[in-house]
Amino acid sequence: MYLTDMQVVSDLIDYFYGGEDAMLRFDTIKEALAAYRESIQSVDSFSDIYTYNQKTEHGVPELLVGGIISTDAIVDVI
């Protein structure tokens, strides 16, 4: 599992629909992609997720998981 900064993803979505002028946090798509790449951190547990969110400047963490997650495997929302 990996966590990334969802605020960066938001700027990337803005870029996709509105171009570089629509991005709020970055001046270019290259800057946004670099920030996204830098924000990716591996996590192994709920505790890691909590720590990532508390000890970083990331606004809203996004959890990335490879594979399919069944709905009964989701046990908590932070």
Side-chain angles (χ1 to χ4, degrees):
M1 296 183 297
Y2 299 90
L3 288 178
T4 63
D5 186 348
M6 188 60 190
Q7 289 181 332
V8 177
V9 174
S10 180
D11 255 12
L12 293 171
I13 292 168
D14 291 344
Y15 169 79
F16 180 77
Y17 287 103
E20 289 183 352
D21 291 339
M23 294 191 304
L24 298 176
R25 296 178 63 201
F26 303 97
D27 294 325
T28 67
I29 188 66
K30 189 174 184 176
E31 287 178 10
L33 289 171
Y36 184 76
R37 193 174 303 114
E38 290 174 15
S39 77
I40 298 171
Q41 293 185 18
S42 179
V43 293
D44 295 314
S45 68
F46 178 82
S47 175
D48 290 345
I49 296 169
Y50 182 80
T51 299
Y52 174 92
N53 200 37
Q54 296 300 311
K55 293 188 176 182
T56 66
E57 295 180 11
H58 304 303
V60 180
E62 173 187 32
L63 181 64
L64 305 175
V65 179
I68 298 171
I69 301 174
S70 65
T71 55
D72 60 339
I74 301 171
V75 296
D76 201 355
V77 177
I78 301 174

